[in-house]
Amino acid sequence: MINYKTFVEGNPDSSTKVLVICGTHGNEQNAIASTLLAREELNIQMAKVRKKYRPMVTFVVGWNETGIANYEREYIDGESETPNDLNRAFTPEGTNNNSKDFLILTIKELIAKHDIIIDVHNSPLIANCVLINNDLYAERYVDFCKKADVIGLLQDVSTHTIKYYGIRNDKFALTLELDTMGITHDNKEVLSANSLFIVHIIKQAIEYTNSKKKPDVINKNKTCLPAKYNAYEVKSHAEGVIWLTNLAKLGSYVMEGQVLATIKSYDGNTLETVCAPCDGHVCTLPMTYIMPENSVLFYIQPEIDLWGLL
């Protein structure tokens, strides 16, 4: 059985606080397994960043314990034994007179302490995407999906969800839908692709909300710097999720033909192997895990004082 746990990662003093929730529906256990992997991947990435620049990310895992134990969508209240869909219970006011309302109140209190809310689900019918309510808030989230280069699915759904409660309380709130229904612990490639999607959404949501706070900030991406020194451009020839090898590190020296990355489809199939076109230093890395076709992945600089450049 998956127990209800809360993990706080990153810098608790950060001005950017993200809440990631999974296990709202007990039969969507792919979402739980994928989120736990995303937590591991995010910690690996944040370890490479100075603590003061890390966001605070809180993971709430498996909070619908009775639903998970019985592999049922709904939560069963211990007193009334009435099934309750927890993602339809986020009304503005709660009665707080049973275990279900206590759980809802706990999540509401967590939402109040965070800026970005991400509720993770999975479905057999939809590929990895962001669910968007077809209402007056839709334009903002459609814009986010375009900038994050992810699928956004417009639909008419309940306004008593975790996401909508967050939106009503001035949070940037998202519902993620991962592919594959049920427990898929034996399908590591699917879980890994899903976890990278979650990490991608976390990073893109932080970038998007920060850009709205500071609209005049210029993105000082150094991708353009090596180009004027005649660096070799390495592009993708397929759209998918990029997996970097240990050689693909900023400043590392690689040899012609060595594998820098593979690009996989969203169901885990390898579409392309990306190799170094020459001997040289890796000057830039991909800025996102989801790569459209014909994207610039790397610049490889044959002869240059890399560290003087950066």
Side-chain angles (χ1 to χ4, degrees):
M1 177 177 173
I2 300 170
N3 296 318
Y4 175 19
K5 293 182 180 179
T6 300
F7 305 94
V8 180
E9 311 294 351
N11 178 12
D13 298 321
S14 173
S15 60
T16 301
K17 293 179 170 60
V18 182
L19 176 64
V20 181
I21 301 169
C22 67
T24 303
H25 292 146
N27 61 338
E28 297 178 6
Q29 297 183 18
N30 170 279
I32 298 173
S34 299
T35 301
L36 288 170
L37 283 178
R39 171 181 170 243
E40 293 177 7
E41 174 62 26
L42 190 67
N43 276 328
I44 291 170
Q45 294 190 28
M46 288 198 295
K48 301 174 183 177
V49 179
R50 292 176 65 185
K51 182 178 179 180
K52 68 177 183 179
Y53 296 122
R54 299 174 194 169
M56 185 186 94
V57 184
T58 302
F59 290 89
V60 174
V61 177
W63 67 292
N64 180 0
E65 288 189 294
T66 66
I68 292 167
N70 297 302
Y71 198 66
E72 296 286 346
R73 176 184 175 91
E74 291 82 9
Y75 172 81
I76 303 296
D77 187 274
E79 298 172 5
S80 65
E81 297 188 353
T82 302
N84 290 278
D85 187 334
L86 294 179
N87 208 33
R88 300 294 184 271
F90 280 78
T91 55
E93 299 295 334
T95 58
N96 195 27
N97 58 5
N98 55 35
S99 60
K100 182 262 293 184
D101 290 329
F102 176 77
L103 274 176
I104 298 297
L105 181 61
T106 301
I107 300 299
K108 284 182 176 181
E109 290 174 347
L110 281 170
I111 289 172
K113 298 174 182 178
H114 294 77
D115 312 296
I116 297 168
I117 316 300
I118 300 174
D119 185 27
V120 184
H121 294 260
N122 65 261
S123 168
L125 305 175
I126 311 172
N128 290 349
C129 68
V130 174
L131 299 186
I132 303 172
N133 280 34
N134 192 11
D135 57 17
L136 70 164
Y137 300 105
E139 185 176 350
R140 181 187 192 192
Y141 291 96
V142 169
D143 181 57
F144 165 76
C145 289
K146 288 179 179 178
K147 288 181 167 57
D149 194 27
V150 297
I151 299 170
L153 179 62
L154 278 169
Q155 59 174 193
D156 294 309
V157 294
S158 170
T159 57
H160 295 155
T161 60
I162 292 172
K163 172 186 67 180
Y164 219 86
Y165 181 81
I167 291 173
R168 282 200 306 267
N169 286 274
D170 298 321
K171 310 296 182 180
F172 186 78
L174 301 164
T175 298
L176 303 191
E177 201 72 59
L178 307 180
D179 68 357
T180 307
M181 187 69 170
I183 302 173
T184 59
H185 293 79
D186 57 335
N187 194 331
K188 294 181 180 180
E189 289 190 335
V190 171
L191 292 177
S192 294
N194 287 351
S195 69
L196 291 178
F197 177 73
I198 296 169
V199 172
H200 174 70
I201 291 294
I202 292 171
K203 293 165 70 175
Q204 291 296 313
I206 292 170
E207 182 178 331
Y208 185 82
T209 54
N210 286 342
S211 71
K212 295 304 177 183
K213 294 175 186 175
K214 303 174 183 178
D216 296 324
V217 171
I218 298 172
N219 182 5
K220 297 181 179 179
N221 179 2
K222 294 178 180 178
T223 299
C224 60
L225 284 178
K228 65 181 182 180
Y229 291 95
N230 299 316
Y232 285 87
E233 191 176 72
V234 183
K235 289 189 173 184
S236 62
H237 298 98
E239 177 178 344
V241 180
I242 186 165
W243 295 67
L244 302 180
T245 69
N246 291 332
L247 294 173
K249 297 178 181 178
L250 192 63
S252 65
Y253 187 81
V254 296
M255 300 179 68
E256 182 178 354
Q258 288 185 319
V259 177
L260 300 178
T262 55
I263 295 178
K264 297 187 178 184
S265 62
Y266 299 114
D267 58 5
N269 294 321
T270 299
L271 303 175
E272 180 184 356
T273 300
V274 181
C275 298
C278 63
D279 297 352
H281 290 283
V282 178
C283 292
T284 58
L285 296 176
M287 299 299 289
T288 175
Y289 282 106
I290 311 298
M291 303 306 302
E293 184 179 353
N294 206 37
S295 298
V296 175
L297 305 178
F298 306 97
Y299 281 107
I300 308 298
Q301 181 55 248
E303 296 178 6
I304 194 169
D305 180 1
L306 179 72
W307 301 115
L309 219 177
L310 299 178

